[in-house]
Amino acid sequence: MVTKINEREAQRVFMHHETVCLAVFACRWFQAEEMRYTDLYRQERCMDVLHQLLGGPVQSGWLQIKMNREMNGILDRLRADLPLIRHDEILILSYSACGFTNEMCAHLAGLSSASQASVVRSRLKEKILKLDSDFADEYLSLLPRKACRNGEEMLFLHDRKYRKLWKLQ
């Protein structure tokens, strides 16, 4: 009985760890609704939180920090291998690895359109292909051949039964 309780406690902690950022976002959204902020102010606040969580044009976010930490410093290695890599390329790599759509990538990275996000991804892939690094295949594995589409495909990717934790066991 004790092991079952310990297992559930560990699962609860894991769930909290994985959803805390979403909970913070939801709390800020509800707070903005309750305070009857203007749409523009609510939008600015929500984008600030999204950028803190997922990174944005000005800074990296929780996603890039966690990705780097859980994947043995992959973003640090990429920066070392490609010293001239731009911040938006790092963002597009991390968003693509998560399966975000081109539209979502463009909005979050502050790009003008979904096609611009696609161009950034393609050019980054070309740079990595030309790279003489032991980690090139690892970087390429984070860039899917095609960007994800909204709707059923994103849900399918999310609901796969064989989902794995970020960190390899």
Side-chain angles (χ1 to χ4, degrees), residues 55 97-98 113 135 144 166:
C98 290
S113 66
F135 305 113
W166 290 26

Side-chain angles (χ1 to χ4, degrees), residues 108-131:
L108 291 169
L111 303 175
S112 61
S113 66
S115 60
Q116 188 179 6
S118 180
V119 167
V120 169
R121 182 180 5 274
S122 295
R123 290 182 181 163
L124 178 59
K125 192 178 278 191
E126 288 173 15
K127 288 179 186 179
I128 294 171
L129 284 169
K130 293 176 186 174
L131 191 61

